[in-house]
Amino acid sequence: IISSCLLITCFIVPLPTCHSGKVLVFPMEGSNWLNMEILIKALHAQGHSVTVARANKSWYVKEESSHYRSITVNVTAGVDEQVAKIILQRLINAERGQSSVLHFLRLQMETFRLKTEVPKINAELATNMIQNKELINMLKDSQYYLVLTDPCWGTGVLMAHYLQLALVFNVRGVNSRDGHQSIAPSPTSYIPVIGSGLTDNMTYTDRVKNMLIHFLAQVHYNFFVRPIYQAVCDKYFQTGVDFDELIQGADLWLMRVDFVFEFPRPTMPNVIYVGGFHCKPAKPLPQDLEDFIQSSGVHRVIIMSLGTLIKELPRDITAEIASAFAQMPQKVIWRHIGDRPVTLSNNTLLIDWMPQNDLLGHPKTRLFVAHGGTNGLQEAIYHGVPVVGLPIFFDQYDNLLRLQMRGGAKIVTLAKVDKDNNFLKALKEVLNEPHHKENMQKLSKLHRDQPMNPLELATFWIEFVMRHKGAAHLRTESYRMALYFYHSLDIMALLLAVVLLILLMTVAFIRCLCFNMFCRRKIKHD
Ligand SMILES: *[C@@H]1O[C@H](CO)[C@@H](O)[C@H](O)[C@H]1NC(C)=O
Ligand SMILES: *[C@@H]1O[C@H](CO)[C@@H](O)[C@H](O)[C@H]1NC(C)=O
Ligand SMILES: *[C@@H]1O[C@H](CO)[C@@H](O)[C@H](O)[C@H]1NC(C)=O
Ligand SMILES: *[C@@H]1O[C@H](CO)[C@@H](O)[C@H](O)[C@H]1NC(C)=O
């Protein structure tokens, strides 16, 4: 008995890992929390201890968890379910607007409002943490190795600087721009800006649009978003600390895309592509779902989910979607919360939560109706399932466009979904034309053909930063340069001056020569 006990304790006591470290996480709410949590679980499994800082009004981030400890900070405003619901409703209404100019303006207004409301909430979280001396002392005593955060929300960036810790990003966008734009050269001639709805092959007018949207995003960020965070820097940090430089000075960027999905573009040595790190082989489904799928026969199954944020679409749209599904021979599994659409047919199963990855990996799944969040699209790529996209806001249209361009998806916009059977046509087109599936399977093969799976890659690099206390050797200091320095305008000015000088001297010399000849001739004449 004693020996077997010993044996058991030997197995239970984890082997001491030499690099078990402490990680402080500042997550983002919403679907980004879902992939951050996967990263946290992976770190926990490697023996690291993870602490998550959350607001007391946090919506997704739970206080209790088996794989992290949490620190809760009181805030007066937070992104909770109620706030999100109102914001999303406003965006959906704007998206459906009839007149195109008005529609565009309203959409811009709403997005604009959203993009300044959230930074204020995040700045308050940082301020409340910094002002809480007890908490700060506790954080300092805890000897964290690094801060892991999504820089889309600035709290983690500010706190990493305040606590003087290495900084690792789990990132796609920074303040509604593609994260790359903060650190890597991004010519607007072939790199479409998020929100432009353009691909990397742009006509002249496309490039005008791209440049304008880039410029507007820049203006908006610099005048409305940056000052909110910069105020925290000015108040609590030594003078001269620039919020942008804090972002650009991060040690590592774990970028949630890869070049199977994203257009090829210049990058930096401290950008690691971990797109699809949350994807994994499908597990068996709950029995009731499995039975439903098996009952679909040869036509098999369509699944639909609009992600975690969108709980309800307007009723007329859900009715249109339900009646389109009713006309399909396939069976449909639809993640739908809210009232049951009246046009729902008996081939459609409504559920309020779906094991999306397991359903996408099921051999009988033929089509995925998605809103175009990166999490879902990466899963579709991983499992090679073609997509009908119903983009709603943010980067969703742009994400879907990347798949549509590669022939794996078909986009139906919210403004058009209830007109001329557009949704039904899209379903039929993607199901009946086999190249959609073939293209997605090609992407799936490309995505899976990597030396290391993306989650292992992400944890490797986080541990790398722990081992070496940062990754400064991978970072250029280009972001500290003035604009004229970065573009070598001073050198061009010098070269131009030299060229001008030579030209002037040549002209003077020639004039002098001519004058002499002319004069001599004149003298001879005389
Ligand atoms: C969060 O803290 C604020 C400020 O102390 C308080 O007013 C609010 O009720 C708290 N919210 C929750 C959900 O605990
Ligand atoms: C946060 O708010 C709760 C009540 O909502 C209160 O009990 C707690 O003491 C507050 N914590 C801090 C640090 O102010
Ligand atoms: C770009 O688009 C034009 C037409 O819009 C097409 O003729 C051209 O072949 C495309 N170029 C590439 C590289 O796909
Ligand atoms: C579904 O409804 C159709 C007609 O509305 C009917 O023919 C069919 O038997 C029903 N299927 C099931 C499984 O109830």
Side-chain angles (χ1 to χ4, degrees), residues 39-52:
L39 213 47
I40 290 172
K41 277 184 190 158
L43 288 172
H44 179 76
Q46 294 284 320
H48 304 295
S49 89
V50 180
T51 307
V52 176

Side-chain angles (χ1 to χ4, degrees), residues 68-85:
Y68 62 81
R69 294 193 316 121
S70 70
I71 296 173
T72 302
V73 182
N74 285 352
V75 289
T76 52
V79 181
D80 56 20
E81 192 160 0
Q82 212 47 43
V83 172
K85 198 175 166 184

